[in-house]
Amino acid sequence: MTMEFISGILDELKDRSLLRDYITIESAQEPTVQINEKPYLSFCSNNYLGLANHPIVKQAAIEAIRQYGCGTGASRLVSGTMSLHTELEKNIAQLKKTEAALLFPTGYMANLGAICTLVSKEDIVIGDKLNHASIIDGCLYSGATFRVYPHKDINKLESLLQRSSSYRRKLVVTDSVFSMDGDTAPLVEIASVAKKYDALLMVDDAHATGVFGENGRGLIEHYGLEGQVEIIMGSLSKAVGSVGGFIAGSQQLIDFLKNKARHFIYTTALPPAVCAASLAGLGLIRKDLSLMNNLWENIRYLNARLSHFTPAITSESPIFPFVAGSAKDALSLSLKLFKNGILIPAIRPPTVPEGTCRLRVSLMANHEKHHLDRLIEVLCNIGFLNEHSPR
Ligand code: PMP
């Protein structure tokens, strides 16, 4: 067997404008980043509150390395659990107002671990069509019957649940903020329909943690649903400014995952520096609401500026989808922006559906208004945005 099949696949991806590669950032993740020794305005980071390069977060990581070293040397259940893991899990449970929480190496693994452990072939899992890839992969790998409903379509969710009475367990799973569109799930209605049909509810609050809710606890707080979602998933790699994933819920749920979730059991514990950074990030979210307020000011400002232009683009979160259409169109738009000093990579299938390729603009608390003005100016200059003609 030769490896020639690979070049065929890569050539096909290239022909369809779907070949991907990464760009290398030579600086910290700030509104302005350095690439090939040149500055670029960045609108593509999930570092929503700017905590990834915050002095307090960095100092916490440095001190953790001094005290605890770099690696953990073992998985959590062997000897990898250190004081920072237990402290971080306690803090996550406090933030999410649950009895307990469990860390996973990434949000991706938290979704896989939780879903694959909670449901299997006698069960059904039902999710929104636009759920994140890690949820979809969890649903597929779980072996449970997997059904999707059209984006945010509660009636369809209800009819799927109505026809699910023969399954042993029913799990409904949704993103809270959808990662590529920036819109929010109708969580109140989803929670009520899940309850009506005796289904478990799992919410991926990755993009809402530190961004939504009066205290930054997430979209579940925003909708007053605390105590009504059995399984809360989150990521520490977005607003919290670090890396890692978690599941928060009842003590029983956490004990169950600790014993059964292979994505938790068979992998080395997160390093101390990462846990300390997460703890510091969570501390800042709790204490300094000005970060979240700045982010929302930027969201309002960009919405207001965009309202004068076509195509009509609005968002209820820091994520704004600038849909270009084909993969080729999205790549060309991204390249034009790059030539003007702006970094926003093109998002293409399978991440988004065919024909809806886009630039996913994401805002940070430390973007300045002139950064947003510059984005609008360049999008106008290259002909993507057009000002409404005066009436
Ligand atoms: N859920 C959602 C909705 C996401 O957007 C992402 C990552 N972009 C994840 C889960 C995975 O989280 P992590 O990056 O921490 O693996």
Side-chain angles (χ1 to χ4, degrees):
M1 182 79 194
T2 70
M3 297 284 275
E4 259 168 43
F5 70 96
I6 293 179
S7 55
I9 293 171
L10 292 176
D11 287 347
E12 196 210 326
L13 285 174
K14 190 157 185 229
D15 290 347
R16 297 171 59 206
S17 299
L18 294 178
L19 190 66
R20 297 159 187 230
D21 206 350
Y22 43 74
I23 36 122
T24 302
I25 308 280
E26 296 152 358
S27 62
Q29 298 285 358
E30 287 281 316
T32 302
V33 295
Q34 185 178 300
I35 302 164
N36 294 329
E37 296 179 11
K38 286 196 219 101
Y40 287 83
L41 253 182
S42 165
F43 289 102
C44 46
S45 171
N46 298 321
N47 176 23
Y48 300 122
L49 298 178
L51 295 182
N53 191 41
H54 191 288
I56 292 177
V57 176
K58 289 197 286 190
Q59 192 55 35
I62 291 165
E63 277 165 24
I65 291 177
R66 286 216 178 91
Q67 188 172 353
Y68 297 102
C70 287
T72 49
S75 59
R76 289 286 305 276
L77 297 180
V78 176
S79 60
T81 298
M82 300 169 81
S83 344
L84 288 170
H85 296 100
T86 42
E87 196 184 334
L88 178 54
E89 286 171 341
K90 228 181 264 169
N91 270 254
I92 292 168
Q94 271 164 10
L95 179 82
K96 294 294 180 183
K97 289 203 171 164
T98 56
E99 283 175 9
L102 192 65
L103 283 168
F104 285 76
T106 64
Y108 183 94
M109 286 171 81
N111 270 331
L112 245 67
I115 298 170
C116 289
T117 311
L118 285 162
V119 290
S120 57
K121 66 178 188 313
E122 293 109 300
D123 309 316
I124 184 164
V125 55
I126 306 174
D128 190 290
K129 185 158 194 321
L130 296 190
N131 274 346
H132 187 257
S134 54
I135 298 181
I136 295 169
D137 290 353
C139 295
L140 290 170
Y141 300 155
S142 71
T145 299
F146 174 31
R147 296 276 179 266
V148 294
Y149 52 92
H151 189 43
K152 305 209 281 192
D153 187 338
I154 296 293
N155 293 333
K156 186 67 185 166
L157 166 62
E158 176 152 18
S159 78
L160 285 168
L161 280 167
Q162 254 163 7
R163 285 182 272 131
S164 301
S165 54
S166 60
Y167 291 95
R168 181 184 61 173
R169 278 178 223 142
K170 290 165 283 220
L171 174 67
V172 174
V173 56
T174 182
D175 277 13
S176 64
V177 174
F178 291 89
S179 57
M180 292 300 140
D181 291 80
D183 55 346
T184 58
L187 285 188
V188 174
E189 291 82 355
I190 294 176
S192 134
V193 94
K195 194 168 173 198
K196 182 169 166 194
Y197 293 92
D198 198 26
L200 292 170
L201 176 59
M202 172 163 170
V203 173
D204 174 335
D205 224 9
H207 291 280
T209 303
V211 174
F212 277 85
E214 213 176 312
N215 304 292
R217 298 179 194 277
L219 201 69
I220 296 166
E221 179 195 20
H222 175 81
Y223 281 126
L225 287 171
E226 280 158 329
Q228 295 181 59
V229 178
E230 285 88 3
I231 305 121
I232 302 174
M233 176 272 168
S235 171
L236 299 163
S237 29
K238 305 186 192 302
V240 183
S242 178
V243 165
F246 62 82
I247 297 291
S250 67
Q251 186 64 55
Q252 231 179 16
L253 169 73
I254 298 310
D255 290 345
F256 175 62
L257 293 177
K258 237 185 235 177
N259 281 277
K260 293 282 188 187
R262 297 171 69 86
H263 304 80
F264 167 80
I265 299 170
Y266 296 109
T267 188
T268 297
L270 280 170
V274 162
C275 296
S278 296
L279 274 165
L282 290 177
L284 283 163
I285 288 172
R286 202 168 44 236
K287 278 187 239 126
D288 187 358
L289 286 176
S290 72
L291 293 164
M292 202 167 69
N293 291 339
N294 289 348
L295 177 65
W296 280 99
E297 206 170 294
N298 282 339
I299 296 169
R300 281 191 293 274
Y301 184 75
L302 188 59
N303 269 315
R305 292 256 14 224
L306 286 170
S307 68
H308 300 286
F309 297 92
T310 53
I313 300 166
T314 60
S315 181
E316 43 180 324
S317 78
I319 304 163
F320 289 70
F322 284 59
V323 176
S326 71
K328 210 167 158 195
D329 288 344
L331 274 183
S332 143
L333 181 59
S334 172
L335 188 64
K336 284 182 194 158
L337 287 169
F338 195 72
K339 285 185 180 151
N340 282 277
I342 294 179
L343 176 69
I344 318 175
I347 309 284
R348 292 162 282 162
T351 311
V352 292
E354 203 88 49
T356 70
C357 298
R358 67 197 65 187
L359 303 198
R360 172 190 182 272
V361 168
S362 54
L363 298 184
M364 293 164 59
N366 45 351
H367 274 127
E368 305 272 346
K369 295 219 165 42
H370 67 88
H371 295 143
L372 307 185
D373 292 339
R374 176 67 186 152
L375 173 65
I376 300 263
E377 183 187 24
V378 172
L379 285 166
C380 287
N381 290 346
I382 62 179
F384 181 79
L385 287 180
N386 296 291
E387 204 152 356
H388 293 309
S389 43
R391 290 180 194 197

